[in-house]
Amino acid sequence: MEEHEQVTARRNKLAELRRLGCRAYPNDFQPRDLAADVAAKHADSTAEVLEADASQVSIAGRLMAIRSFGKAAFAQLQDRSGRLQIYVTRADSGEDQFAVFRQLDLGDIVGVEGKLFRTRTGELTILVERLCYLAKALRPLPEKWHGLQDVELRYRQRSLDLLVNPEVRRVFERRALMLQSVRLFFTARGFLEVETPMMQAIAGGALARPFVTHHNALDIDLYLRIAPELYLKRLVVGGLDRVFELNRNFRNEGVSTQHNPEFTMLEFYQAYATYEDMMALTETLVAELATEVVGALRIPYGDHEIDLTPPWRRVSMKDAIAEQTGLARDAVDDPVRLRAFAEEQGIPVTVGMPHGKVAVEIFEKTTEATLIQPTFIVEYPVEVSPLARLSDDDPSLVDRFELFIAGRELANGFSELNDPTDQRQRFEAQLEARRGGDDEAHAMDEDYVRALEYGMPPTAGEGIGIDRLVMLLANAASIRDVILFPQMRPERP
RNA sequence: GGGCCGUUAGCUCAGGAGGUAGAGCAGCUGCCUUUUAAGCAGCGGGUCGAAGGUUCGAGUCCUUCACGGCCCA
């Protein structure tokens, strides 16, 4: 393959650097300072103060701009903290080092040491006395002004994206801060962080299609988990009354701005609590995270301003449907009339589909996207909630909620079903649904029922989609903007 | 899965109604010791996503495919 002219030019400069006595990839330069620290420390230092200060600073990073004159040059050096201008002159750095500098390109990594001064325009700058070439960028960087715009290239070559688009780094710094805050929040409340299997013989805990893999030595198929739920509740049976897990789930479904096949889920379980306690805990958690990460409770998201100030609205699914569609509440309660409405609206409902599931279908199609401000939808139908405790008031419902913000589901929580007999019957009902063609129905898990038979305390639990929460707090439109390496089709040669 | 849109130099983008492929940045050569997207002068760089088709002639029109984006399911 023919090498690009710009790559050839850079290879030639690398050869010239060797000729000048540089090692090609040295590793003996240790920067003592960071660009942003230096800038902060000397933000108010006048030219005279800097002149009188004999101390040296040393930073290392990537050359992101070079403005070169004959015997001197300004350049921008970028490290993990930010950028600082350097000034290299033949007089101050010496003939040999200046010759090295002249072989450097945008993107090259160097270390410099020298004294600070202020330029004519007042910019804090290092006058370079020692210059160490550290690594060559053999490929040219994207354009300095527009950065890398092509979203396909940005996702496929995240290194380059991070390098030239500083706002991308900020999103992932925000994400890291949020994860750290989540851990502090739960550990401060007595929750134990645990890790449960990602490879499971039965993919339980949610209604979704799993990825399948194979264990050679055991000669068994295993599933990548779609949820950690059933393992976390086994731990509650075992006396770990408060547990949380913050890690990846895998679902073998489509890719979109809202879905990546692997995504990060927070799940937590608290004994002697109810789903109402979980709603209150969620309000506190999200409000705290927003304050921590964004610094405000009213946050911008796309065209909206979201107000995360607790408490949030709570409304039953059927009331929400009635409110949105204009149907009378008794029509929503009536299986025949509700089904007729679905068919009239072109919402696909199958012949044997139970009333509760028809309601959920209608809710998802008509109402979900309208829930912009934080809203807990409560009173979920039992047919779509095989792991949730029955409502004491209405046996067709369970003590469950989902949280919607900006038209998207962010969390799902409920009082846990801890009656092993009921749990077995629910699994059997799911098997029936599966035989009826529902390939997302929950599988039977005998081992889990056996665990429940030892007695699980009354418990409530919840899952929160972390990527979506990061999207909200980082004002990102696509899940790919908050996942470092989103799933893409492989490039074809 | 369906609809719409995109794919042109390393990057960011133009390319009217089919008639020899353009700019800026980046690169190369030269000048330049206070620049800020530095400046000035000159030069090089293209399988126009791929494959077919229509046409005297296709970046441009048609078909299929690939990859991506947005919307819908």
Side-chain angles (χ1 to χ4, degrees):
Chain A
M1 196 210 295
E2 185 116 7
E3 192 171 79
H4 191 273
E5 52 159 348
Q6 299 204 36
V7 176
T8 307
R10 285 165 182 250
R11 280 196 195 282
N12 291 342
K13 289 186 189 175
L14 179 55
E16 180 63 15
L17 284 166
R18 282 196 167 103
R19 209 188 57 75
L20 290 168
C22 295
R23 284 182 293 149
Y25 292 94
N27 67 345
D28 53 0
F29 185 89
Q30 300 259 325
R32 292 188 305 271
D33 303 298
L34 286 174
D37 293 348
V38 171
K41 187 175 169 198
H42 294 285
D44 300 320
S45 305
T46 62
E48 293 71 30
V49 168
L50 292 172
E51 180 74 30
D53 182 355
S55 60
Q56 299 266 305
V57 297
S58 83
I59 63 172
R62 202 178 279 271
L63 285 171
M64 297 303 285
I66 300 173
R67 295 181 284 274
S68 173
F69 305 83
K71 302 182 186 68
F74 288 96
Q76 291 282 336
L77 205 57
Q78 171 175 293
D79 67 16
R80 69 174 191 273
S81 72
R83 291 185 181 188
L84 195 64
Q85 181 167 264
I86 64 172
Y87 186 49
V88 187
T89 74
R90 192 157 69 171
D92 293 284
S93 62
E95 201 74 50
D96 292 351
Q97 291 192 118
F98 198 69
V100 167
F101 179 79
R102 290 211 300 200
Q103 299 307 314
L104 298 179
D105 289 299
L106 291 179
D108 287 358
I109 296 165
V110 299
V112 300
E113 193 172 333
K115 247 176 72 59
L116 288 169
F117 74 107
R118 285 201 185 273
T119 64
R120 190 176 285 168
T121 55
E123 182 163 348
L124 189 70
T125 303
I126 301 177
L127 179 63
V128 175
E129 290 164 24
R130 189 159 86 97
L131 172 81
C132 297
Y133 154 81
L134 296 175
K136 194 78 188 155
L138 290 174
R139 292 172 182 267
L141 295 186
E143 211 230 9
K144 60 184 169 188
W145 193 245
H146 299 93
L148 188 65
Q149 297 294 322
D150 184 316
V151 288
E152 184 174 352
L153 286 181
R154 287 187 44 226
Y155 299 146
R156 288 194 195 278
Q157 300 189 48
R158 191 65 96 174
S159 312
L160 199 53
D161 187 27
L162 285 163
L163 205 60
V164 299
N165 296 329
E167 67 282 4
V168 175
R169 170 194 291 255
R170 271 177 237 122
V171 168
F172 291 100
E173 286 170 346
R174 240 170 217 217
R175 182 177 177 121
L177 177 62
M178 202 189 90
L179 294 179
Q180 199 173 25
S181 301
V182 166
R183 290 197 158 93
L184 283 172
F185 181 93
F186 282 99
T187 39
R189 285 166 174 74
F191 286 76
L192 186 71
E193 180 168 8
V194 296
E195 295 166 278
T196 65
M198 298 233 181
M199 299 199 295
Q200 305 179 345
I202 298 166
L207 309 178
R209 290 184 196 83
F211 287 95
V212 191
T213 187
H214 188 78
H215 190 293
N216 290 339
L218 298 179
D219 192 23
I220 50 168
D221 282 341
L222 290 170
Y223 301 96
L224 300 188
R225 74 175 182 195
I226 55 176
E229 172 158 354
L230 299 186
Y231 284 93
L232 291 171
K233 287 195 280 196
R234 283 172 172 97
L235 298 179
V236 177
V237 171
L240 305 185
D241 279 358
R242 295 183 179 201
V243 291
F244 76 99
E245 182 161 11
L246 181 50
N247 217 316
R248 223 66 67 79
N249 285 349
F250 307 86
R251 294 186 184 175
N252 202 342
E253 292 166 1
V255 173
S256 78
T257 51
Q258 312 302 320
H259 301 88
N260 196 64
E262 52 179 307
F263 61 99
T264 300
M265 181 76 110
L266 166 69
E267 283 205 13
F268 49 95
Y269 292 82
Q270 179 178 345
Y272 315 110
T274 68
Y275 77 117
E276 295 185 339
D277 298 319
M278 294 295 101
M279 286 191 274
L281 190 67
T282 305
E283 288 170 335
T284 309
L285 170 68
V286 173
E288 212 163 280
L289 293 176
T291 305
E292 191 92 12
V293 175
V294 190
L297 286 176
R298 299 174 73 90
I299 62 169
Y301 189 76
D303 297 333
H304 303 290
E305 185 182 71
I306 310 276
D307 187 354
L308 297 172
T309 311
W312 301 336
R313 185 173 172 233
R314 288 152 170 76
V315 54
S316 81
M317 176 180 287
K318 285 177 179 172
D319 284 343
I321 291 172
E323 192 177 300
Q324 180 63 31
T325 62
L327 278 176
R329 178 54 211 259
D330 62 345
V332 177
D333 284 328
D334 180 340
V336 177
R337 287 161 73 187
L338 192 67
R339 168 175 291 271
F341 175 79
E343 284 165 353
E344 174 191 315
Q345 296 292 309
I347 294 165
V349 284
T350 56
V351 179
M353 192 181 275
H355 179 221
K357 191 144 190 188
V358 171
V360 169
E361 292 291 327
I362 292 174
F363 171 77
E364 286 177 357
K365 298 291 181 296
T366 64
T367 307
E368 205 174 292
T370 69
L371 302 173
I372 304 302
Q373 298 302 324
T375 305
F376 289 114
I377 297 294
V378 296
E379 295 179 14
Y380 271 71
V382 62
E383 300 94 319
V384 296
S385 316
L387 303 167
R389 180 181 184 279
L390 284 182
S391 160
D392 288 331
D393 304 325
D394 181 345
S396 76
L397 301 175
V398 292
D399 289 340
R400 173 181 173 190
F401 67 89
E402 286 193 0
L403 168 64
F404 294 86
I405 304 179
R408 290 199 286 261
E409 180 197 341
L410 246 81
N412 173 26
F414 38 87
S415 297
E416 304 300 334
L417 174 55
N418 63 343
D419 173 348
T421 309
D422 188 358
Q423 182 66 75
R424 185 185 299 281
Q425 284 165 2
R426 302 274 196 98
F427 279 151
E428 277 161 0
Q430 289 289 310
L431 288 180
E432 194 57 46
R434 186 174 286 263
R435 278 192 290 272
D438 182 352
D439 56 358
E440 289 191 350
H442 204 291
M444 169 63 76
D445 190 335
E446 289 285 356
D447 177 78
Y448 175 67
V449 175
R450 180 174 60 191
L452 288 186
E453 284 169 352
Y454 285 102
M456 181 165 82
T459 299
E462 178 175 345
I464 298 182
I466 288 296
D467 307 284
R468 290 183 183 181
L469 192 52
V470 177
M471 285 170 69
L472 182 70
L473 297 185
N475 194 5
S478 169
I479 197 169
R480 296 176 204 115
D481 293 327
V482 302
I483 291 176
L484 281 167
F485 298 99
Q487 192 61 52
M488 305 281 280
R489 273 182 208 275
E491 290 178 85
R492 301 216 325 173

